[in-house]
């Protein structure tokens, strides 16, 4: 039957499985999951038909929950449904938002980041997913996009009312495209015809949300387990961690199937000791960040026998999500995954993002050689990507490409002394100094002529090096790890 509450009209009918009331708050919703017996039902006029039973939700420890309300572009919305997906690299959640005028949108969670999207008309038939290769460019409705991810995904569980409901556990293609204006276009091949949505990154604070999940009510049971390699206790501190390392034997443990699932692991030898300890908290760029992960990576430019290395610290802030603090031979930098996709020249020498033009500094193959801590993607020792680093003054842009995903990160250089101070490590400030540090104390005792002579000699040496070598063997090598597709991600994974 149809009922009205104020200006909101909704449908209520008894569940054909248990008889409990099932409500539909949006006219766009065709399916629902009974909150009492977990039956999946489809609406047929004013009656409901049972189509099966929904699997149990995995607890993603999200601050969001059903019936949380907020505003987007000064319009109200209410979260009425949830879809949980898995893909080879992990899992992600999409929340169905009921908007004014019977419209629905999607608020996608991706590792502390969020994208709000609305249904989008492609103005042409969606191409077969196999035609949308990662890194390729295409246009929809007059806008150019780059394919950022192309994954086989499957519905794991659902809750509330839904505008569509893919078959539980059946794989289908999900393609995410991004552009240099910060737009995220997702094509869902789980329906026929495929459905598209278009959105951009949002901050939870900007959505003015009410009715969020009470943190004190979170059930932390099951967030600890014994290492499958050595049996030592391992505690998971972050909601969306898909990989973690054992503090005792340093094994990498795969959490992509949840703690209750089979815990696969890979042993690591020769541990690397991070300069900044895991768990450290520091104040950077106006926010407090905690070091939750660390990885050492090696790079090699095509045609060059010499390798170089750098370290990446995964930082977490509850409201800002994840960022990366990168420690390389020529300096420190702080970067985070971009929502949009920069436009890169065909020869790869330049890239443009948010109306800023960047010049390529390096192009190289990268490999992860050691990891420690927790990660929001399924990290593995030996993971390989092809990277390009770009710069525009102090602004940095980095691209990483794997078989199924194209990830961009942006950020800026940061003074090594500021990093040491941020993490209260001033006593070790000399250990943070890198190739970008200026020898101020030494220069202060020199005359102008001596300084000019030194500069001339340095320039001459650099010219000789560039002539003898195909490229530099060190750089700021900024990267953002694997930023899952639908977006987060997607996308957002």
């Amino acid at each position: 039957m149809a009922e009205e509450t104020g200006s909101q009209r909704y449908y209520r009918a008894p569940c054909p499985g248990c008889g409990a009331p099932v409500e539909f708050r949006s006219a766009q919703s065709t399916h629902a999951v009974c909150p009492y017996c977990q039956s999946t039902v489809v609406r047929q006029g004013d009656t409901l038909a049972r189509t099966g039973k929904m699997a149990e939700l995995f607890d993603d420890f999200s601050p969001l929950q059903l019936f949380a309300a907020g505003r987007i572009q000064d319009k109200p919305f209410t979260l009425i449904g949830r879809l949980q997906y898995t893909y080879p690299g992990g899992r992600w959640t999409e929340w169905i938002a009921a908007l004014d005028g019977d419209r629905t949108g999607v608020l996608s969670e991706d590792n502390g980041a969020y994208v709000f999207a609305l249904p989008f008309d492609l103005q042409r038939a969606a191409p077969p997913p196999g035609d949308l290769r990662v890194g390729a460019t295409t246009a929809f409705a007059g806008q150019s996009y780059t394919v950022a991810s192309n994954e086989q995904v499957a519905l794991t569980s659902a809750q509330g009312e839904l505008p569509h409901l893919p078959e539980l556990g059946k794989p289908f293609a999900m393609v995410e495209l991004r552009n240099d204006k910060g737009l995220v276009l997702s094509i869902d091949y789980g329906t026929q015809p495929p459905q598209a949505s278009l959105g951009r990154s949002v901050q939870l604070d900007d959505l003015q949300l009410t009715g969020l999940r009470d943190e004190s009510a979170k059930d932390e049971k099951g967030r600890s387990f014994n290492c499958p390699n050595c049996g030592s206790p391992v505690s998971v501190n972050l909601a969306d961690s898909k990989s973690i390392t054992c503090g005792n034997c340093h094994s990498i443990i795969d959490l992509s199937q949840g703690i209750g699932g089979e815990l696969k692991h890979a042993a690591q030898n020769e541990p690397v000791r991070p300069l900044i300890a895991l768990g450290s908290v520091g104040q950077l760029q106006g926010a407090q960040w905690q070091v939750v992960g660390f990885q050492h990576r090696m790079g090699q430019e095509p045609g060059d026998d010499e390798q170089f290395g750098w370290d990446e610290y995964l930082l977490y802030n509850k409201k800002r999500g994840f960022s990366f603090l990168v420690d390389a031979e020529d300096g420190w930098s702080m970067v985070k995954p971009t929502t949009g996709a920069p436009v890169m020249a065909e020869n790869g020498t330049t890239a443009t993002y948010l109306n800023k033009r960047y010049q390529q500094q390096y192009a190289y193959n990268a490999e992860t050689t050691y990891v420690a801590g927790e990660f929001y993607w399924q990290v593995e020792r030996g993971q390989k990507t092809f990277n390009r680093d770009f710069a525009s003054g102090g602004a940095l842009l980095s691209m990483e490409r794997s078989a199924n995903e194209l990830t961009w990160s942006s950020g800026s250089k940061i003074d090594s002394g500021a990093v040491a101070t941020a993490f209260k490590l001033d006593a070790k400030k000399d250990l943070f100094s890198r190739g970008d540090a200026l020898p101020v104390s030494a220069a202060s005792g020199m005359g102008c002529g001596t300084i000019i002579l030194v500069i001339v000699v340095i320039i001459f040496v650099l010219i000789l090096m560039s002539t003898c070598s195909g490229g530099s063997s060190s750089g700021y090598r900024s990267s953002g790890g694997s930023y899952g597709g639908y977006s987060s991600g997607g996308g957002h994974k």
Side-chain angles (χ1 to χ4, degrees), residues 39-90:
S39 290
T40 54
V41 299
V42 61
R43 193 170 74 187
Q44 297 176 342
D46 286 341
T47 62
L48 302 178
R50 186 176 186 272
T51 61
K53 191 175 180 66
M54 182 51 63
E56 183 179 355
L57 291 162
F58 61 78
D59 193 345
D60 53 12
F61 296 87
S62 167
L64 303 177
Q65 63 180 353
L66 288 185
F67 310 125
R71 302 186 72 85
I72 183 77
Q73 297 178 349
D74 205 32
K75 300 292 184 182
F77 69 86
T78 301
L79 301 182
I80 60 171
R82 170 163 58 162
L83 295 163
Q84 295 183 327
Y85 294 99
T86 58
Y87 72 109

Side-chain angles (χ1 to χ4, degrees), residues 17 23-24 38 64 81-82 118 185 202-203 210 242 280-282 284 286 358 386 393 397 410 440 447 467-468 490:
E23 294 183 355
F24 287 82
Q38 308 307 312
L64 303 177
R82 170 163 58 162
L118 296 173
L185 174 62
V202 294
Q203 299 289 329
T210 60
K242 298 180 178 68
S280 300
V281 176
L284 287 170
Y358 296 77
F386 177 72
L397 195 63
S410 65
V440 177
T467 302
C468 298

Side-chain angles (χ1 to χ4, degrees), residues 47-207:
T47 62
L48 302 178
R50 186 176 186 272
T51 61
K53 191 175 180 66
M54 182 51 63
E56 183 179 355
L57 291 162
F58 61 78
D59 193 345
D60 53 12
F61 296 87
S62 167
L64 303 177
Q65 63 180 353
L66 288 185
F67 310 125
R71 302 186 72 85
I72 183 77
Q73 297 178 349
D74 205 32
K75 300 292 184 182
F77 69 86
T78 301
L79 301 182
I80 60 171
R82 170 163 58 162
L83 295 163
Q84 295 183 327
Y85 294 99
T86 58
Y87 72 109
R91 61 197 183 199
W92 84 97
T93 298
E94 293 182 353
W95 293 89
I96 307 302
L99 299 149
D100 59 322
D102 289 330
R103 296 185 303 156
T104 59
V106 175
L107 179 59
S108 298
E109 289 190 72
D110 179 46
N111 313 305
Y114 298 85
V115 169
F116 199 102
L118 296 173
F120 180 69
D121 182 7
L122 295 176
Q123 298 184 5
R124 63 184 177 96
D131 291 351
L132 297 173
R133 295 176 294 101
V134 171
T137 58
T138 187
F140 292 100
Q143 290 270 9
S144 179
Y145 295 90
T146 300
V147 180
S149 70
N150 188 330
E151 296 276 8
Q152 287 290 310
V153 309
L155 179 70
T156 301
S157 189
Q159 180 186 32
E161 57 183 281
L162 312 156
H164 71 284
L165 186 63
E167 183 178 338
L168 191 66
K170 182 178 180 180
F172 61 91
M174 182 82 80
V175 178
E176 183 181 88
L177 306 95
R178 300 170 182 248
N179 71 7
D180 61 337
K181 297 180 177 63
L183 295 176
V184 181
L185 174 62
S186 295
I187 305 178
D188 179 344
Y189 289 86
T191 63
Q192 289 300 325
Q195 295 183 353
S197 60
L198 183 67
R200 61 175 65 247
S201 178
V202 294
Q203 299 289 329
L204 287 190
D205 285 348
D206 295 335
L207 297 178

